[in-house]
Amino acid sequence: MQPIPWEAELEYHAVASPASLPTHPSSNTPLPRPQAESISVASVWQMESTEAADRALSGDSGAFVYRRDGHPNERTLADKLALLHGAAGAVITAQGMSAIGAVALATLAPGGQVWIGDELYGKSHKLFCGEMTRWNVTTRPFDVTSAAELAELASRRVDLVLIETLSNPRLRVPDIAAIAAATHAAGGRLMVDNTFATHLICQPLKLGADLVIESLSKQVNGHSDSMLGLVAGNDRGTLKRIQDVVSTFGLASSPLDCYLTHRGLMSLAVRMERACANALALSKALSQHPAVEAVDYPGLPKHPQHPLATQQLRGGYGWMLSFRVNANGGQLQGLLDRLKPEIQFVPSLGDVSTTVSHPASTSHRSLTPAAREQLGIGLGTIRVSCGIEPTDWLVERFLTAVS
């Protein structure tokens, strides 16, 4: 497995540099550059002329006009993430679901055909299998690890395919290059939800994906204090269409959330290194405990896609894992109670602190019990988002709790 590419992270500061520095009003000499990014809370910008307004609103000048159409904090973050994903451009949205929704609204029309991974974040599944049906869009879930279903995908007509780099919550690993080839053979676009990986662990655009989306609220921010989404890609026409949808439907970001996420991005590589190491150590320990029925983590050799994960990922196998215990007789709640107060039950992920979640009652509650069981998501399934605590301490806390 390749290490985290630290040289790419060093480019953060180059992108952060403004094109020109402010100057002192009397001496006209450049003022010192601030070490931290500033927050621009302006909602609207002054226009020098009607011609300037026309150029700004058409996007020709790059000037800011109205926060809904873009703002300085959004621009800085988008430029950085485009660079780090190897993308031609990026769009920042209010949250991860706004990113997926913006792509759907920008690329689909009535009668559209969508394929989605059968194990997907619950709200993503609900968006396409529920809300989009009112737009006369047909969605088919498919097994992203099935060669037979990929062959069928390649033989069909499809407009959009959505998969996850690491599936939520069982951490299955799709062959992104193979799915991209099948999607393109079907005439469609491949969108990859890269939230569980970030650009540090995987860069789907380099594997053939057309669009990559992320919930920046998670590991990129890392502190559970902002909500943002990302869409990155290489087709500028598609990105322009997505940006128009973000503006028209009011899916734009706030300066404060962009500022907080940018601050988290600066420490992402260091946090990711520890979190991935914690997830690997914890998954190994839990897999050997008699009270644990199964552990899902692509870093374990027994994981069905371990060889593919080693080839496709870099710098680690991610900070997320799931495991299953007996949920009868209050054992599940007892386990959650024994993990507290240091490790809390939180229906989210990507914090500096380790948290646990229960997919059946939170992220995947919109699925029927039968559908969850078919995917291997039972009442005893616990999802773990590993933080940056000392590894030995973290492993000991879980082993004590499950005993």
Side-chain angles (χ1 to χ4, degrees):
M1 173 169 286
Q2 301 176 4
I4 287 177
W6 285 98
E7 65 278 4
E9 305 310 298
L10 297 178
E11 297 187 51
Y12 284 157
H13 296 284
V15 179
S17 303
S20 61
L21 294 174
T23 58
H24 192 280
S26 60
S27 64
N28 203 35
T29 56
L31 295 173
R33 187 194 311 275
Q35 177 67 4
E37 182 186 21
S38 301
I39 303 177
S40 174
V41 297
S43 61
V44 66
W45 280 258
Q46 300 172 356
M47 297 286 106
E48 293 296 325
S49 65
T50 57
E51 290 80 4
D54 182 65
R55 289 195 303 272
L57 288 168
S58 67
D60 293 338
S61 67
F64 298 108
V65 182
Y66 194 62
R67 186 193 293 178
R68 187 178 59 212
D69 301 306
H71 52 83
N73 295 102
E74 180 267 343
R75 180 76 56 81
T76 299
L77 185 61
D79 286 348
K80 284 191 177 185
L81 290 169
L83 170 73
L84 294 170
H85 275 281
V91 177
I92 304 298
T93 67
Q95 52 185 274
M97 287 307 302
S98 303
I100 298 177
V103 172
L105 292 170
T107 63
L108 297 174
Q113 302 292 316
V114 178
W115 283 41
I116 63 172
D118 59 359
E119 184 188 324
L120 207 63
Y121 172 54
K123 288 292 185 182
S124 300
H125 183 278
K126 185 175 182 179
L127 172 65
F128 287 103
C129 293
E131 297 299 327
M132 293 304 294
T133 61
R134 296 187 294 107
W135 296 63
N136 195 28
V137 170
T138 300
T139 298
R140 170 178 165 173
F142 75 107
D143 183 348
V144 298
T145 65
S146 168
E149 296 211 36
L150 285 193
E152 182 181 354
L153 169 61
S155 69
R156 298 292 189 93
R157 181 189 73 80
V158 69
D159 297 292
L160 183 67
V161 174
L162 170 61
I163 62 173
E164 295 173 334
T165 308
L166 297 162
S167 71
N168 183 0
R170 297 202 56 206
L171 288 303
R172 292 193 299 165
V173 184
D175 186 331
I176 295 175
I179 296 178
T183 301
H184 297 154
R189 293 183 178 93
L190 174 62
M191 173 169 58
V192 179
D193 185 336
N194 200 49
T195 301
F196 273 24
T198 80
H199 67 273
L200 285 175
I201 300 296
C202 187
Q203 293 178 310
L205 296 177
K206 294 183 178 180
L207 297 173
D210 299 284
L211 296 165
V212 59
I213 70 99
E214 288 180 5
S215 171
L216 301 177
S217 319
K218 308 303 190 294
Q219 188 67 273
V220 174
N221 168 262
H223 296 78
S224 296
D225 56 9
S226 80
M227 293 191 73
L228 285 181
L230 166 76
V231 184
N234 288 317
D235 187 318
R236 293 190 182 278
T238 301
L239 291 173
K240 175 63 168 60
R241 171 73 179 129
I242 292 169
Q243 183 66 68
D244 288 344
V245 165
V246 168
S247 175
T248 303
F249 282 80
L251 306 177
S253 60
S254 80
L256 177 60
D257 288 67
C258 287
Y259 169 84
L260 292 170
T261 301
H262 171 256
R263 186 176 65 172
L265 178 64
M266 302 301 285
S267 65
L268 175 61
V270 177
R271 292 186 286 106
M272 182 72 83
E273 206 164 44
R274 170 63 71 84
C276 288
N278 280 349
L280 179 60
L282 182 58
S283 65
K284 287 180 177 178
L286 289 174
S287 66
Q288 298 172 6
H289 196 285
V292 176
E293 298 174 355
V295 177
D296 295 312
Y297 186 68
L300 296 177
K302 65 180 181 181
H303 187 281
Q305 290 92 46
H306 176 71
L308 174 62
T310 301
Q311 172 191 342
Q312 190 165 269
L313 307 179
R314 64 184 189 183
Y317 296 94
W319 74 95
M320 301 294 299
L321 65 111
S322 65
F323 67 96
R324 290 182 293 284
V325 296
N326 189 330
N328 297 327
Q331 295 183 51
L332 174 64
Q333 187 58 51
L335 189 161
L336 297 176
D337 290 341
R338 288 190 293 274
L339 286 171
K340 296 176 182 179
E342 298 90 351
I343 299 171
Q344 292 287 339
F345 174 19
V346 175
S348 190
L349 56 102
D351 200 296
V352 290
S353 300
T354 296
T355 60
V356 293
S357 186
H358 184 242
S361 63
T362 59
S363 59
H364 291 70
R365 62 178 293 111
S366 61
L367 300 181
T368 66
R372 289 196 298 266
E373 285 296 335
Q374 186 176 359
L375 295 173
I377 305 171
L379 292 177
T381 298
I382 297 174
R383 191 186 70 187
V384 183
S385 171
C386 289
I388 62 173
E389 298 92 346
T391 304
D392 291 343
W393 175 89
L394 184 67
V395 170
E396 179 59 31
R397 287 293 290 112
F398 271 88
L399 292 183
T400 299
V402 299
S403 297

